[in-house]
PDB file of all heavy atoms in Angstrom:
ATOM      1  N   LEU A   6     117.594 108.555  69.869  1.00  0.00           N
ATOM      2  CA  LEU A   6     117.342 107.143  70.164  1.00  0.00           C
ATOM      3  C   LEU A   6     118.066 106.197  69.214  1.00  0.00           C
ATOM      4  O   LEU A   6     117.907 104.976  69.319  1.00  0.00           O
ATOM      5  CB  LEU A   6     115.834 106.848  70.103  1.00  0.00           C
ATOM      6  CG  LEU A   6     114.963 107.564  71.133  1.00  0.00           C
ATOM      7  CD1 LEU A   6     113.504 107.199  70.926  1.00  0.00           C
ATOM      8  CD2 LEU A   6     115.403 107.206  72.552  1.00  0.00           C
ATOM      9  N   VAL A  47     126.118  93.637  89.970  1.00  0.00           N
ATOM     10  CA  VAL A  47     126.634  92.983  88.760  1.00  0.00           C
ATOM     11  C   VAL A  47     127.944  93.635  88.320  1.00  0.00           C
ATOM     12  O   VAL A  47     128.860  92.955  87.839  1.00  0.00           O
ATOM     13  CB  VAL A  47     125.588  93.053  87.639  1.00  0.00           C
ATOM     14  CG1 VAL A  47     126.163  92.542  86.326  1.00  0.00           C
ATOM     15  CG2 VAL A  47     124.357  92.240  88.011  1.00  0.00           C
ATOM     16  N   GLY A  60     126.494  97.890  79.925  1.00  0.00           N
ATOM     17  CA  GLY A  60     125.478  98.812  79.428  1.00  0.00           C
ATOM     18  C   GLY A  60     124.320  98.838  80.408  1.00  0.00           C
ATOM     19  O   GLY A  60     124.307  98.089  81.399  1.00  0.00           O
ATOM     20  N   GLY A  66     131.310  89.571  81.297  1.00  0.00           N
ATOM     21  CA  GLY A  66     132.671  89.561  81.818  1.00  0.00           C
ATOM     22  C   GLY A  66     133.089  88.160  82.198  1.00  0.00           C
ATOM     23  O   GLY A  66     132.466  87.165  81.793  1.00  0.00           O
ATOM     24  N   TRP A  76     124.914  89.154  82.108  1.00  0.00           N
ATOM     25  CA  TRP A  76     123.709  89.621  82.822  1.00  0.00           C
ATOM     26  C   TRP A  76     122.880  90.455  81.861  1.00  0.00           C
ATOM     27  O   TRP A  76     123.420  91.246  81.073  1.00  0.00           O
ATOM     28  CB  TRP A  76     124.104  90.463  84.028  1.00  0.00           C
ATOM     29  CG  TRP A  76     122.945  91.152  84.709  1.00  0.00           C
ATOM     30  CD1 TRP A  76     122.147  90.643  85.688  1.00  0.00           C
ATOM     31  CD2 TRP A  76     122.482  92.482  84.472  1.00  0.00           C
ATOM     32  NE1 TRP A  76     121.199  91.561  86.073  1.00  0.00           N
ATOM     33  CE2 TRP A  76     121.376  92.712  85.337  1.00  0.00           C
ATOM     34  CE3 TRP A  76     122.867  93.505  83.603  1.00  0.00           C
ATOM     35  CZ2 TRP A  76     120.679  93.912  85.360  1.00  0.00           C
ATOM     36  CZ3 TRP A  76     122.171  94.705  83.619  1.00  0.00           C
ATOM     37  CH2 TRP A  76     121.090  94.904  84.492  1.00  0.00           C
ATOM     38  N   ALA A  96     135.353  76.397  91.648  1.00  0.00           N
ATOM     39  CA  ALA A  96     135.217  77.738  91.063  1.00  0.00           C
ATOM     40  C   ALA A  96     133.799  77.962  90.562  1.00  0.00           C
ATOM     41  O   ALA A  96     133.226  79.044  90.738  1.00  0.00           O
ATOM     42  CB  ALA A  96     136.222  77.914  89.930  1.00  0.00           C
ATOM     43  N   LEU A 107     122.554  87.877  94.089  1.00  0.00           N
ATOM     44  CA  LEU A 107     122.086  89.098  93.429  1.00  0.00           C
ATOM     45  C   LEU A 107     120.647  89.394  93.852  1.00  0.00           C
ATOM     46  O   LEU A 107     119.854  88.474  94.092  1.00  0.00           O
ATOM     47  CB  LEU A 107     122.163  88.939  91.906  1.00  0.00           C
ATOM     48  CG  LEU A 107     123.567  88.793  91.311  1.00  0.00           C
ATOM     49  CD1 LEU A 107     123.484  88.583  89.812  1.00  0.00           C
ATOM     50  CD2 LEU A 107     124.427  90.007  91.636  1.00  0.00           C
ATOM     51  N   ARG A 113     113.201  81.098  87.790  1.00  0.00           N
ATOM     52  CA  ARG A 113     113.661  79.902  87.084  1.00  0.00           C
ATOM     53  C   ARG A 113     115.164  79.781  87.271  1.00  0.00           C
ATOM     54  O   ARG A 113     115.902  80.766  87.153  1.00  0.00           O
ATOM     55  CB  ARG A 113     113.310  79.974  85.601  1.00  0.00           C
ATOM     56  CG  ARG A 113     113.639  78.707  84.819  1.00  0.00           C
ATOM     57  CD  ARG A 113     113.022  78.741  83.427  1.00  0.00           C
ATOM     58  NE  ARG A 113     113.241  77.480  82.709  1.00  0.00           N
ATOM     59  CZ  ARG A 113     114.126  77.313  81.720  1.00  0.00           C
ATOM     60  NH1 ARG A 113     114.866  78.345  81.315  1.00  0.00           N
ATOM     61  NH2 ARG A 113     114.250  76.148  81.133  1.00  0.00           N
ATOM     62  N   ASP A 234      73.964 102.816  94.759  1.00  0.00           N
ATOM     63  CA  ASP A 234      75.069 102.493  95.671  1.00  0.00           C
ATOM     64  C   ASP A 234      75.598 101.088  95.402  1.00  0.00           C
ATOM     65  O   ASP A 234      76.825 100.862  95.402  1.00  0.00           O
ATOM     66  CB  ASP A 234      74.591 102.604  97.120  1.00  0.00           C
ATOM     67  CG  ASP A 234      74.343 104.042  97.545  1.00  0.00           C
ATOM     68  OD1 ASP A 234      74.844 104.952  96.859  1.00  0.00           O
ATOM     69  OD2 ASP A 234      73.639 104.251  98.544  1.00  0.00           O
ATOM     70  N   SER A 249      94.292  95.016  89.093  1.00  0.00           N
ATOM     71  CA  SER A 249      95.270  94.087  89.655  1.00  0.00           C
ATOM     72  C   SER A 249      95.693  93.006  88.670  1.00  0.00           C
ATOM     73  O   SER A 249      96.818  92.508  88.748  1.00  0.00           O
ATOM     74  CB  SER A 249      94.682  93.420  90.916  1.00  0.00           C
ATOM     75  OG  SER A 249      94.342  94.376  91.896  1.00  0.00           O
ATOM     76  N   TYR A 279     108.734  59.283  73.235  1.00  0.00           N
ATOM     77  CA  TYR A 279     108.945  60.383  74.176  1.00  0.00           C
ATOM     78  C   TYR A 279     108.174  61.627  73.716  1.00  0.00           C
ATOM     79  O   TYR A 279     108.078  61.877  72.506  1.00  0.00           O
ATOM     80  CB  TYR A 279     110.435  60.744  74.285  1.00  0.00           C
ATOM     81  CG  TYR A 279     111.295  59.649  74.847  1.00  0.00           C
ATOM     82  CD1 TYR A 279     111.996  58.790  73.993  1.00  0.00           C
ATOM     83  CD2 TYR A 279     111.411  59.474  76.217  1.00  0.00           C
ATOM     84  CE1 TYR A 279     112.795  57.791  74.508  1.00  0.00           C
ATOM     85  CE2 TYR A 279     112.219  58.475  76.742  1.00  0.00           C
ATOM     86  CZ  TYR A 279     112.899  57.628  75.879  1.00  0.00           C
ATOM     87  OH  TYR A 279     113.685  56.638  76.395  1.00  0.00           O
ATOM     88  N   THR A 309      81.211  95.200  81.294  1.00  0.00           N
ATOM     89  CA  THR A 309      80.222  95.702  80.330  1.00  0.00           C
ATOM     90  C   THR A 309      78.813  95.570  80.883  1.00  0.00           C
ATOM     91  O   THR A 309      77.986  96.491  80.753  1.00  0.00           O
ATOM     92  CB  THR A 309      80.344  94.933  79.005  1.00  0.00           C
ATOM     93  OG1 THR A 309      81.665  95.124  78.481  1.00  0.00           O
ATOM     94  CG2 THR A 309      79.327  95.437  78.000  1.00  0.00           C
ATOM     95  N   THR A 315      74.094 100.089  84.886  1.00  0.00           N
ATOM     96  CA  THR A 315      74.160 101.498  85.289  1.00  0.00           C
ATOM     97  C   THR A 315      73.346 102.361  84.334  1.00  0.00           C
ATOM     98  O   THR A 315      72.608 103.262  84.754  1.00  0.00           O
ATOM     99  CB  THR A 315      75.626 101.974  85.305  1.00  0.00           C
ATOM    100  OG1 THR A 315      76.370 101.160  86.215  1.00  0.00           O
ATOM    101  CG2 THR A 315      75.715 103.421  85.753  1.00  0.00           C
ATOM    102  N   ARG A 325      61.525 108.144  85.841  1.00  0.00           N
ATOM    103  CA  ARG A 325      60.770 108.472  87.054  1.00  0.00           C
ATOM    104  C   ARG A 325      60.729 109.984  87.273  1.00  0.00           C
ATOM    105  O   ARG A 325      59.694 110.540  87.657  1.00  0.00           O
ATOM    106  CB  ARG A 325      61.403 107.766  88.254  1.00  0.00           C
ATOM    107  CG  ARG A 325      60.664 107.962  89.560  1.00  0.00           C
ATOM    108  CD  ARG A 325      61.121 106.973  90.595  1.00  0.00           C
ATOM    109  NE  ARG A 325      60.791 105.600  90.191  1.00  0.00           N
ATOM    110  CZ  ARG A 325      61.043 104.536  90.937  1.00  0.00           C
ATOM    111  NH1 ARG A 325      61.642 104.675  92.110  1.00  0.00           N
ATOM    112  NH2 ARG A 325      60.709 103.342  90.524  1.00  0.00           N
ATOM    113  N   LEU A 402      37.700 147.751  86.726  1.00  0.00           N
ATOM    114  CA  LEU A 402      38.552 146.674  87.253  1.00  0.00           C
ATOM    115  C   LEU A 402      39.079 145.764  86.134  1.00  0.00           C
ATOM    116  O   LEU A 402      40.227 145.335  86.172  1.00  0.00           O
ATOM    117  CB  LEU A 402      37.777 145.837  88.263  1.00  0.00           C
ATOM    118  CG  LEU A 402      37.465 146.527  89.596  1.00  0.00           C
ATOM    119  CD1 LEU A 402      36.629 145.624  90.486  1.00  0.00           C
ATOM    120  CD2 LEU A 402      38.772 146.905  90.316  1.00  0.00           C
TER     121      LEU A 402
END
Side-chain angles (χ1 to χ4, degrees):
L6 296 179
V47 173
W76 172 87
L107 294 177
R113 185 169 185 255
D234 289 343
S249 301
Y279 296 97
T309 300
T315 301
R325 183 165 296 182
L402 290 177

